């Protein structure tokens, strides 16, 4: 075996270790095993009783988790490792993504042969929750603390204009819509998404956050909207839309005078390069396994996939009639931001 082959073989083995451990993490989350260890260490018998699982399986999982470094062990008792509670007890995560992709993988294989798509709804709750959980920290801590303050006149409008209206397109489970409403008490927010399960969860999230009187959610097509809005947001959704130019064209006449479109989408290179960096590799893998098949299911005008490069988005905006689309200087490892007006 050549050195190059050995290196590639080693890389794939490392990837296999990571992938299998992600599934064991998701197993622990879905069965409530990490939650059972939240307050105190436990052995296999106690964990099995607390979580309602088989003791022999409990023993194997505990030992595997300790071998992976997620748990510590002292005699027959196992405890969460330092920092594990912050990561493993949060909603969603990489393990949930992995589980969702694994469940639908046979259909991806078939789609590659036929050219068909796989509806977003068919990817199920693991992908839906994984996306929502991955993005929520950004919505909670960055959206109104860093991103919108980079547009002072937009933020001032949301803070000082009674009844200012925001349209959140491709809102998913509503985390961005709720974060906006909580930060700006004078505004109303309308979220729109094609996925019925996401809209149901979004409505529940708004009610739990106590903002359901100012946040509404509509099941529908982003290209068919009504009303007038001071701000339209599209977070990590434009690349999934089957007719992005049509959506942007439909949005433009719905902007109130002086209104803006604020977009956050994938931070990828402006041109294809190979080999690529780690984040771009991740985005391409999601495109192959999820975003492209989901978009193909919409009978799309454009099936872009996850890799939405800045020149492409700006070209779409100009085609849709925006005179001065711009890339914003907002730092983020995963997303690049744009303003259209």
């Amino acid at each position: 075996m050549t050195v190059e082959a050995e290196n590639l073989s080693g890389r794939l083995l490392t990837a296999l270790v990571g992938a299998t451990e992600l599934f064991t993490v998701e197993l622990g989350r879905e069965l409530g095993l990490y939650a059972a260890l939240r307050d105190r260490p436990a052995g296999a018998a106690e964990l099995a009783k607390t979580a309602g699982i088989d003791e022999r399986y409990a023993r194997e999982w505990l030992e595997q988790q300790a071998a992976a470094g997620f748990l510590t062990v002292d005699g027959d008792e196992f405890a969460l490792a330092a920092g594990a509670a912050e990561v493993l007890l949060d909603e969603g995560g990489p393990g949930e993504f992995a589980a969702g992709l694994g469940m639908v993988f046979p259909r991806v294989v078939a789609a590659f042969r036929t050219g068909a798509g796989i509806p977003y709804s068919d990817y199920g709750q693991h992908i839906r929750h994984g996306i929502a959980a991955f993005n929520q920290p950004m919505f909670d801590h960055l959206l109104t603390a860093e991103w919108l303050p980079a547009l002072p006149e937009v933020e001032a409008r949301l803070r000082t204009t009674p009844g200012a209206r925001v349209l959140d397109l491709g809102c998913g489970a509503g985390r961005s819509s709720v974060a906006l409403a909580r930060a700006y008490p004078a505004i109303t927010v309308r979220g729109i998404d094609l996925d019925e399960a996401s809209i149901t969860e979004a409505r529940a999230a708004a009610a739990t956050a106590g903002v359901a009187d100012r946040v509404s959610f509509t099941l529908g097509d982003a290209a068919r909207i009504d009303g007038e809005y001071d701000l339209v947001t599209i977070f990590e959704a434009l690349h999934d839309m089957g007719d992005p130019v049509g959506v942007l064209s439909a949005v433009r006449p719905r902007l109130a005078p002086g209104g803006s479109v604020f977009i956050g989408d994938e931070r990828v290179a402006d041109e294809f390069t190979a080999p690529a960096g780690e984040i771009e590799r991740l985005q391409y893998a999601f495109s192959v396994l999820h975003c492209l098949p989901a978009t193909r299911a919409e009978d799309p005008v454009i099936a872009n996939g996850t890799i939405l490069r800045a020149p492409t988005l700006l070209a779409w905006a100009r085609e849709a009639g925006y005179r001065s689309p711009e890339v914003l200087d907002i730092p983020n490892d995963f997303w690049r931001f744009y303003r259209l007006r």
Side-chain angles (χ1 to χ4, degrees), residues 37-126:
L37 295 169
R38 183 199 310 264
D39 297 324
R40 64 177 185 177
E46 183 178 354
L47 178 65
K49 182 178 180 180
T50 302
I53 65 171
D54 176 80
E55 183 176 341
R56 178 64 185 92
Y57 279 122
R59 164 64 61 181
E60 200 73 5
W61 182 84
L62 286 167
E63 291 182 358
Q64 178 271 324
Q65 293 284 288
F70 304 143
L71 302 181
T72 60
V73 58
D74 182 9
D76 291 329
E77 293 197 325
F78 296 79
L80 293 172
E86 300 173 60
V87 177
L88 300 177
L89 287 169
D90 284 344
E91 179 185 357
E96 195 152 25
F97 274 125
L101 294 174
M103 289 176 180
V104 80
F105 181 74
R107 293 187 60 187
V108 175
V109 174
F112 264 67
R113 292 194 172 110
T114 65
I118 303 171
Y120 177 86
S121 58
D122 288 4
Y123 279 87
Q125 70 172 15
H126 288 93

Side-chain angles (χ1 to χ4, degrees), residues 137-200:
M138 294 196 293
F139 293 144
D140 287 347
H141 304 296
L142 301 177
L143 171 56
T144 60
E146 295 184 13
W147 300 349
L148 286 176
L151 300 171
E153 69 276 25
V154 172
E155 198 202 26
R157 188 169 183 155
L158 298 182
R159 289 200 179 282
T160 62
T161 304
R165 301 187 68 195
V166 176
L167 177 65
D168 192 12
L169 289 182
C171 64
R175 310 302 173 87
S176 49
S177 304
V178 169
L180 285 163
R182 293 178 69 177
Y184 304 109
I187 72 171
T188 60
V189 184
R190 179 187 180 192
I192 296 180
D193 202 278
L194 280 172
D195 183 54
E196 185 173 3
S198 293
I199 290 296
T200 298

Side-chain angles (χ1 to χ4, degrees), residues 169 221-225 234 237-253 261 263 265 295 298 300-304 308 311-322 340:
L169 289 182
D221 191 335
R224 297 182 177 90
I225 56 176
I234 310 175
L238 190 63
H239 70 256
D240 287 320
M241 294 179 180
D243 185 10
V245 175
V247 170
L248 295 178
S249 297
V251 165
R252 192 165 57 84
V261 181
I263 299 172
D265 217 297
T295 306
E298 297 179 24
V301 176
I302 298 172
N304 185 82
L308 178 50
T312 300
L313 193 152
L314 295 175
W316 289 349
R318 295 187 186 99
E319 186 178 348
Y322 296 87
L340 315 183

